[in-house]
Amino acid sequence: MATAITSAPFASGVVVYCRAGFESEAAQELDATAAHAGVAGFARTERSAGFAEFVLTQQGAPDALLRLLGWSRLIFARQSLAVIGQFKSLPKEDRLTPLLAALPEGFGVRDVWVEAPDSDAAKPLSAFCRSFNNAFVQALRRRGGLDPASPWRLHALFPSGERCLLGLALIDHAAPWPQGIPRLKFPREAPSRSTLKLDEALQILLSPQERERWFKPGMSAVDLGAAPGGWTWQLVRRGLHVTAVDNGPMDENLMASGLVTHKREDGFRFQPRQRVDWMVCDMVEQPRRVAERMAEWLAEGWCKHAVFNLKLPMKKRYAEVQQAFELMQAVVARRGREIEIRAKQLYHDREEITVFACER
Ligand SMILES: C[S@@+](CC[C@H](N)C(=O)[O-])C[C@H]1O[C@@H](n2cnc3c(N)ncnc32)[C@H](O)[C@@H]1O
């Protein structure tokens, strides 16, 4: 076992993984977040690549960089890595030697993940990634480069068989799933596949402590646009009493749980009689209309916590998200309140993002 006697190599930038087709939003977000944090550089991306890069003007310390441009701060990022090597044409007969040469002797990583972007072009690379991952781990072990106490994980991202971005993840600040994709199992009893979206949202947007504190049997929730009940099912599974608002029919087995009250009403007009612990909303509508209604719920104190989807328009999607959040903050500020907003484009989201909001 190696001891991490050498500090991490300098980073030339950050690479984030994203849903294919959202590279430009990921790049705009990197530019905006870096500018806000005073990190000099520029974002670049390629169409449908499944990732975007931020190139630093001056090389920097990877840990500081990942605290500023980390995965959990970025809506469109599934993973965020500090880039320590870029290889445009690795020789097919020996890809390992140049990659190993980028790592200083004595620098230990806890693990190595060889990945391809989640893009059509990179799909055929999955078998290669698996076998090359084994070879990489063995080579690192031989040279004493694996250290179970290291805070770092090494990632080799292969957009093609010859091209590789070598990156470091700070394990405590990184997505814990290969490719940044949580592989959630669809629960057979759940009434719709949308159930995975709320499950993923709660895993990604809340810490384990928050999940434990904010979901307790007997708590109350409202689900706006609930039918057939995939989101309600997740709440019921956690023991919550749910008022499900939708003109459409709810799943019969779910209704038999005795924890659901179905109201055939307009979700944009519905108001709870009493403050509830949770409000979730999956109504497909104009993002501004949804954002405004969600903000009213929080401004009026009708719920403590909210999870909802914002459908993205075809164009200016990043700007639309920013405007929706500004609108929400303005609505609650008029009532003298402040809210915290966290958001992610989840693996189970398509042309939308999922947002968590709560009173500060
Ligand atoms: C995407 S589906 C919800 C799926 C649900 N979250 C699940 O997991 O099964 C959207 C739902 O919103 C409902 N909806 C749309 N506009 C609504 C409104 N103004 N009031 C109540 N429900 C509405 C639709 O009837 C539809 O059932």
Side-chain angles (χ1 to χ4, degrees):
M1 183 187 88
T3 335
I5 49 166
T6 309
S7 55
F10 278 122
S12 60
V14 167
V15 60
V16 297
Y17 304 174
C18 65
R19 171 176 279 280
F22 286 82
E23 296 78 12
S24 133
E25 286 71 23
Q28 286 173 55
E29 185 175 37
L30 280 171
D31 267 334
T33 312
H36 190 251
V39 181
F42 61 92
R44 67 179 178 199
T45 178
E46 296 149 46
R47 226 182 143 89
S48 303
F51 66 94
E53 287 177 83
F54 186 79
V55 182
L56 291 173
T57 311
Q58 267 194 324
Q59 292 203 333
D63 46 351
L65 196 58
L66 289 174
R67 282 179 223 281
L68 298 172
L69 296 176
W71 160 71
S72 60
R73 289 171 171 258
L74 301 169
I75 301 168
F76 291 95
R78 288 179 181 172
Q79 182 62 284
S80 177
L81 310 172
V83 178
I84 56 164
Q86 292 250 16
F87 304 84
K88 289 215 168 84
S89 49
L90 287 171
K92 275 207 172 80
E93 53 292 354
D94 178 17
R95 296 177 176 94
L96 263 178
T97 305
L99 296 178
L100 288 170
L103 294 169
E105 284 289 336
F107 173 65
V109 294
R110 205 182 303 176
D111 201 358
V112 185
W113 286 1
V114 176
E115 297 160 308
D118 183 23
S119 69
D120 284 344
K123 274 208 175 75
L125 291 169
S126 56
F128 156 74
C129 287
R130 269 196 303 279
S131 66
F132 191 64
N133 210 136
N134 293 336
F136 210 154
V137 169
Q138 280 168 23
L140 263 187
R141 187 173 290 128
R142 273 198 300 275
R143 76 172 218 176
L146 287 182
D147 174 4
S150 169
W152 298 106
R153 184 171 56 226
L154 184 66
H155 290 244
L157 178 71
F158 278 88
S160 73
E162 300 78 50
R163 187 173 160 210
C164 177
L165 284 94
L166 199 61
L168 288 176
L170 206 46
I171 293 170
D172 287 347
H173 294 261
W177 310 278
Q179 294 182 299
I181 299 176
R183 314 265 165 193
L184 301 177
K185 200 162 167 267
F186 175 66
R188 263 189 309 122
E189 327 76 69
S192 69
R193 287 204 70 79
S194 301
T195 201
L196 294 175
K197 214 180 284 185
L198 185 59
D199 198 16
E200 185 185 354
L202 299 178
Q203 290 199 37
I204 288 195
L205 298 172
L206 305 185
S207 69
Q209 296 77 7
E210 288 169 339
R211 284 197 294 274
E212 167 131 15
R213 214 169 49 239
W214 293 342
F215 284 101
K216 292 216 192 293
M219 284 182 169
S220 54
V222 169
D223 184 352
L224 303 174
W231 285 29
T232 294
W233 187 87
Q234 289 290 343
L235 300 167
V236 164
R237 184 166 79 91
R238 290 166 171 83
L240 274 68
H241 293 266
V242 185
T243 303
V245 182
D246 202 306
N247 273 320
M250 292 293 288
D251 178 79
E252 281 178 17
N253 289 338
L254 184 57
M255 294 307 295
S257 68
L259 288 174
V260 184
T261 309
H262 184 188
K263 300 239 182 227
R264 293 181 185 272
E265 292 181 31
D266 182 351
F268 280 97
R269 288 165 181 266
F270 179 84
Q271 283 183 25
R273 289 226 181 90
Q274 281 175 337
R275 179 174 164 85
V276 291
D277 295 290
W278 282 92
M279 180 268 289
V280 298
C281 170
D282 193 16
M283 294 188 289
V284 183
E285 250 293 344
Q286 294 290 327
R288 266 174 248 198
R289 185 166 184 225
V290 174
E292 194 159 14
R293 188 62 184 164
M294 300 297 101
E296 275 171 24
W297 270 74
L298 291 155
E300 298 295 335
W302 294 337
C303 65
K304 291 184 190 160
H305 311 103
V307 172
F308 54 95
N309 277 330
L310 288 182
K311 185 118 188 74
L312 298 172
M314 295 297 283
K315 287 188 184 156
K316 301 203 172 146
R317 298 185 283 206
Y318 183 66
E320 183 77 34
V321 169
Q322 296 310 312
Q323 281 162 16
F325 292 169
E326 280 162 23
L327 174 76
M328 288 184 69
Q329 292 291 7
V331 169
V332 294
R334 283 203 288 272
R335 298 297 306 265
R337 291 185 192 246
E338 255 190 88
I339 51 171
E340 180 184 345
I341 299 176
R342 307 173 195 171
K344 200 59 138 180
Q345 185 177 37
L346 305 172
Y347 176 67
H348 294 94
D349 281 336
R350 290 182 183 273
E351 305 286 318
E352 65 203 339
I353 61 165
T354 302
V355 184
F356 164 80
C358 68
E359 255 175 53
R360 245 195 236 281

